[in-house]
Amino acid sequence: TQFQSEEEYREYLFGVIELLQKQIALLAESQSIVIESANKHAEDFTSFLIEDEEDLEARYFLDDPTQVESISNQNHRELFSRFFALVPNEFDSYFNELIVFEERRYEFEGFVETIPPYRSDTWRLGVNESMFDFRVTSSATTELLVHEFAHILSYDGIIGVPEPGTTRCHEYYDEFGCPPGNSYFAAFADIFWPDSVLEDFVEEGEDLWSNRELQNNFVTDYAATAPGEDFAESFTDFVLEDYPNGNKIKYDKVRFFYDFDTLIDLREEIRSEI
């Protein structure tokens, strides 16, 4: 009833159709960036943990974190969207690639690793397909995503602490990369993984720890497998659990993070999304 003539009505419809066509084109472009590029770059896939690109169920490239919303697989879209909801915004752009890998060959639930050009702000997040058996808001999923984010955070510089001109690392880090001297990880390792401990760990591995030490020194058994995992597991407890009381070393590790106002604010930001 708002149109005075059939010609005016047809002109309105053509305008609506043109607008819809533009929106469809934008959506298709966004999807192509995220999804279609997987085939184009498959031959370039290299990973420290995934042995063969055939073990990938899905691979997504991101120029912008908002592109995760255009992932067509609903389960993948919801889980990765959950990750970006939990991760503070200033870290969103660190993630350039998301992958889902098959469960059959890999026991770990997820991982992060740097990707070319191997900087501290270019990362791949990988998730085991077994994680899609859980709701994206489940404690298991939340713990995994916070744990993986902790690995990214660990290499961030502590505000107000300049990076040393030269960085000296124990030979243990030759394989994994020396953490920046002003990073949270370096500060954590200086206290809880000094060179004397690393020397014994290199020689004995996880057998170094007695059952009593495992219970008293680590928030989980997995934390005892490597300094980086100790950091990530302790940080996960810092975020998800209440302030710990007690004189065990594992509580000292969690309380370490309370020494930094920036991390306390970050904790509250993540907890507000849980």
Side-chain angles (χ1 to χ4, degrees):
T1 57
Q2 60 181 313
F3 303 104
Q4 302 299 318
S5 66
E6 182 178 347
E7 182 177 350
E8 187 177 338
Y9 178 57
R10 291 176 60 188
E11 184 177 349
Y12 166 77
L13 287 179
F14 284 134
V16 171
I17 292 171
E18 183 179 3
L19 178 61
L20 288 174
Q21 288 175 331
K22 289 180 179 179
Q23 291 176 331
I24 291 171
L26 287 173
L27 179 59
E29 179 182 359
S30 175
Q31 286 181 325
S32 68
I33 292 173
V34 178
I35 298 170
E36 291 178 7
S37 59
N39 292 330
K40 182 173 64 175
H41 295 286
E43 67 276 13
D44 300 329
F45 181 76
T46 58
S47 171
F48 294 104
L49 293 170
I50 303 300
E51 298 176 7
D52 195 320
E53 65 196 49
E54 293 183 0
D55 295 333
L56 301 184
E57 180 179 310
R59 187 181 184 197
Y60 306 110
F61 297 85
L62 302 180
D63 291 326
D64 184 280
T66 60
Q67 291 172 341
V68 75
E69 296 299 331
S70 66
I71 293 177
S72 59
N73 184 300
Q74 180 179 349
N75 290 332
H76 297 178
R77 182 176 67 251
E78 289 180 352
L79 188 144
F80 290 127
S81 294
R82 172 69 169 164
F83 178 72
F84 283 111
L86 290 173
V87 170
N89 292 339
E90 61 264 32
F91 293 92
D92 284 356
S93 62
Y94 283 26
F95 296 91
N96 310 108
E97 188 176 325
L98 310 171
I99 67 171
V100 178
F101 57 94
E102 295 181 357
E103 179 182 7
R104 58 189 174 87
R105 291 185 60 185
Y106 303 97
E107 296 181 357
F108 48 89
E109 297 171 341
F111 70 93
V112 290
E113 61 182 355
T114 54
I115 55 178
Y118 301 114
R119 302 193 312 250
S120 61
D121 59 351
T122 57
W123 293 86
R124 168 189 292 139
L125 168 65
V127 177
N128 192 310
E129 63 180 352
S130 65
M131 291 306 299
F132 296 97
D133 294 336
F134 302 95
R135 291 180 294 106
V136 294
T137 55
S138 69
S139 59
T141 302
T142 300
E143 288 171 9
L144 172 67
L145 298 180
V146 173
H147 174 102
E148 299 308 336
F149 166 66
H151 286 301
I152 310 299
L153 174 73
S154 70
Y155 280 80
D156 246 33
I158 300 172
I159 294 177
V161 179
E163 185 171 357
T166 59
T167 299
R168 183 192 68 82
C169 277
H170 188 276
E171 62 180 12
Y172 168 83
Y173 295 105
D174 289 346
E175 180 180 355
F176 304 99
C178 187
N182 65 336
S183 65
Y184 292 107
F185 185 23
F188 182 89
D190 282 347
I191 299 171
F192 303 111
W193 290 82
D195 285 359
S196 58
V197 174
L198 281 175
E199 286 285 353
D200 294 336
F201 184 71
V202 168
E203 291 184 9
E204 301 183 48
E206 298 168 48
D207 294 335
L208 171 66
W209 320 113
S210 67
N211 288 334
R212 183 179 181 84
E213 286 173 323
L214 284 175
Q215 293 175 5
N216 292 340
N217 296 3
F218 302 97
V219 294
T220 64
D221 287 351
Y222 186 56
T225 62
E229 302 305 341
D230 195 16
F231 180 99
E233 288 287 87
S234 300
F235 178 83
T236 302
D237 258 35
F238 162 70
V239 170
L240 301 181
E241 305 296 336
D242 294 333
Y243 185 90
N245 295 306
N247 57 8
K248 294 180 179 180
I249 292 176
K250 64 181 180 181
Y251 300 139
D252 291 337
K253 291 176 178 178
V254 176
R255 288 191 288 260
F256 164 86
F257 299 100
Y258 283 96
D259 290 338
F260 304 96
D261 291 341
T262 300
L263 298 188
I264 293 174
D265 292 342
L266 187 148
R267 174 183 185 267
E268 295 306 311
E269 186 174 349
I270 295 175
R271 288 172 67 93
S272 69
E273 297 292 339
I274 296 175

